[in-house]
Amino acid sequence: MTAIPQGRTRRTALLSATCALVVTGAALAGCGSEDPDAGTNGVGKLAPDKIQSRTRTAARSAATVRLSGTVVTSGRTYTLDMRLKDDGGTGSVTSKGGTFRLLRIGEQLYLKADADFWDHADGGDGGTGAAGKLDGKYVKVPTADPAYKKFIGFTDKDLLLDGLLTLHGTLAREGHHQQSGTRTIRVTGDKGSGGTLDVSLEGKPYPLRLVRGGGAGTLRFSDWGKDFTVSEPAKGDTVDYGKQLPTS
């Protein structure tokens, strides 16, 4: 075996170390100069009030959206999983341990729940009265009934989004983040006490996550623009109560 001169070995080691330093330095320089808004829709560079305005406009222009999470209103917590479009919506709402489904087609609102829900609403009749008749059926909600006004907002895309997508107080950007793999810019109101909104930096600046101020719930938005169909329930699955519904 031919011996390698020690001088050559030292030169080779020094050259390798120098190359490593050069490569590391270049990598560090690249990291330090990386633009977090490169390749995005550009809203991350805007003033926070402009970001809020852009995301509200994008949300209103979308034909559909899926909304899930919690909303606290009048001291009551509602857990929602709703798919909404301009002329209707469908999904589930859970409150106080009970779950019911909502379906809106145009101005007609339907509510579907089990006997326990209606039994509680009706003051408890053991399922022999209204609760038994309404169990598992889509019940037409009269427009004059208090339940109509109470629940119609959960199925109205524009009304719901307009009421939710407003941060309160002094707005500020809170850096770049991710929601389900999508890059976002985060905007806060009064350092978070007025709400926190994550806005997509990819494609249209849709809102992806909202933490409402004052502990009023957290919502996620997805399936923007993905179409779905709402249709009248079968006649055999529908009950026209014909008067004011039991109070839920």
Side-chain angles (χ1 to χ4, degrees):
M1 180 181 293
T2 302
I4 299 175
Q6 291 184 354
R8 184 184 299 177
T9 302
R10 286 195 294 270
R11 286 195 299 273
T12 300
L14 180 60
L15 180 60
S16 297
T18 302
C19 288
L21 287 173
V22 170
V23 171
T24 302
L28 290 175
C31 291
S33 62
E34 184 179 354
D35 182 0
D37 291 298
T40 71
N41 54 27
V43 297
K45 297 180 179 181
L46 301 177
D49 60 325
K50 295 292 185 181
I51 298 174
Q52 179 175 247
S53 176
R54 290 283 183 89
T55 195
R56 288 169 64 94
T57 298
R60 285 193 64 93
S61 68
T64 65
V65 64
R66 182 174 183 177
L67 183 153
S68 59
T70 58
V71 172
V72 181
T73 179
S74 300
R76 189 167 180 175
T77 300
Y78 297 92
T79 301
L80 312 179
D81 188 358
M82 301 293 301
R83 299 186 70 188
L84 308 174
K85 60 194 311 182
D86 291 335
D87 60 351
T90 182
S92 64
V93 180
T94 300
S95 181
K96 293 185 176 181
T99 299
F100 55 91
R101 294 193 63 82
L102 293 174
L103 170 64
R104 181 176 66 84
I105 303 169
E107 296 300 315
Q108 181 60 63
L109 179 67
Y110 297 88
L111 192 157
K112 181 179 182 180
D114 60 19
D116 287 341
F117 175 90
W118 293 113
D119 186 55
H120 174 75
D122 202 27
D125 62 5
T128 60
K133 295 177 181 178
L134 305 182
D135 179 26
K137 301 290 187 179
Y138 280 101
V139 180
K140 287 186 177 181
V141 182
T143 56
D145 191 278
Y148 188 92
K149 183 178 180 180
K150 183 176 182 180
F151 295 130
I152 190 69
F154 289 142
T155 67
D156 189 318
K157 180 177 75 73
D158 290 341
L159 179 65
L160 195 58
L161 292 177
D162 284 349
L164 292 173
L165 298 179
T166 300
L167 301 175
H168 303 283
T170 302
L171 302 184
R173 288 180 301 191
E174 285 290 325
H176 293 71
H177 299 267
Q178 284 195 0
Q179 290 295 323
S180 301
T182 300
R183 290 179 292 174
T184 66
I185 184 69
R186 182 169 295 172
V187 181
T188 62
D190 279 349
K191 299 181 179 180
S193 63
T196 300
L197 183 65
D198 280 72
V199 177
S200 176
L201 289 175
E202 301 176 17
K204 291 188 177 182
Y206 292 128
L208 298 184
R209 181 174 181 268
L210 171 70
V211 179
R212 302 181 71 203
T218 299
L219 293 163
R220 288 177 173 80
F221 307 89
S222 60
D223 294 349
W224 288 102
K226 292 185 178 181
D227 195 20
F228 66 96
T229 301
V230 289
S231 57
E232 296 278 353
K235 289 185 178 180
D237 293 331
T238 306
V239 174
D240 189 344
Y241 199 65
K243 61 179 181 178
Q244 182 172 315
L245 298 180
T247 304
S248 58

